[in-house]
Amino acid sequence: MTPVLSIGSLKTSGSTTLALTLAGVAAAADIPVVLVDAGRDKDLVDWARKPGRPALCTVEVADDEITLERIVRAARRRGDLAVIDAGDNAEMIRAGARLSDRALIPVRFSPLSAYAALATDRLLATEADKGRRGRDWAFVASGVTTIPSRVARTIEGMIERSTTARLEVGLVLRAAYETPFLHGGTLFTLGEDVAPGIERARAEAATIAYEIGILGHDVDAATVIREPGSFEVAAAAA
């Protein structure tokens, strides 16, 4: 299992949504997870105050590198997954990447988001020799459109300028991903009545978590979604 993830871009591009989505997958798979809110708006803190937070998911706040390092080290000692929402703060993006095993750069469906993602990529490249040995980073789409367009092709072309890896899966533009921030809980505790399209969102979220390494890499099938409200992980965390 990838034990520490850091998510952030120099322009707000869905880092909080991605962090909560991945934490929801982990909690549904019985993996203890610490969500570290290092973002500007503290949306994860607000989410944690709502009903429905999984017992295996805790939220902690880090506004400086020292606090962030303390939280991450404690999570590693306990064997918990740590997901850092570094937001759009350059210092926290750098600090989170140094402490993580993998950093994710979210990219939304706009040229401005793509420019920011590339700037973030360059920022992380200047720090490549710092932090944990073997750590890496990748782009991940946090607002995929299902309609091909000139804008989509432009954004893809921009990201392809970098040699940094891109995840082949991403979060499609679905209202379901925003619903936990309104009602509390996660994709795996809410129902179709409040989160339309939630079944497809669950499948996407589980696939991303598997590709990132949250669910391990030594299995053929990462997840099985049997029925609404039921989520079974076919792989134990490595």
Side-chain angles (χ1 to χ4, degrees), residues 84-231:
I84 303 166
D85 174 17
D88 58 3
N89 182 287
E91 290 305 316
M92 297 309 285
I93 290 171
R94 273 196 289 254
R98 286 195 296 265
L99 292 167
S100 70
D101 298 280
R102 168 164 281 191
L104 300 177
I105 305 173
V107 187
R108 275 189 170 162
F109 188 59
S110 78
L112 184 57
S113 177
Y115 278 120
L118 289 170
T120 306
D121 179 40
R122 291 192 294 271
L123 176 73
L124 297 185
T126 64
E127 301 263 308
D129 59 343
K130 300 177 182 177
R132 295 184 64 81
R133 181 177 299 176
R135 70 181 180 88
D136 66 356
W137 62 92
F139 297 107
V140 57
S142 60
V144 179
T145 178
T146 57
I147 304 174
S149 72
R150 185 173 62 182
V151 174
R153 291 192 295 272
T154 298
I155 293 169
E156 288 178 357
M158 292 171 65
I159 296 301
E160 285 174 355
R161 296 174 191 170
S162 171
T163 58
T164 296
R166 293 185 302 159
L167 295 188
E168 295 300 321
V169 292
L171 302 185
V172 174
L173 290 171
R174 300 186 195 282
Y177 291 111
E178 299 298 327
T179 305
F181 293 102
L182 300 175
H183 297 277
T186 74
L187 292 177
F188 301 94
T189 63
L190 296 171
E192 185 80 25
D193 55 328
V194 297
I198 199 168
E199 287 302 314
R200 293 187 69 179
R202 287 170 178 163
E204 289 167 357
T207 301
I208 292 173
Y210 175 64
E211 291 295 327
I212 291 170
I214 290 177
L215 302 178
H217 285 297
D218 56 346
V219 293
D220 294 327
T223 61
V224 177
I225 299 175
R226 293 186 169 180
E227 58 187 27
S230 173
F231 175 72

Side-chain angles (χ1 to χ4, degrees), residues 1-3 25-26 29-32 79-81 210 213-219 222 233-238:
M1 184 183 76
T2 300
V25 176
D30 293 328
I31 299 171
D80 296 351
L81 168 69
Y210 175 64
I214 290 177
L215 302 178
H217 285 297
D218 56 346
V219 293
V233 173

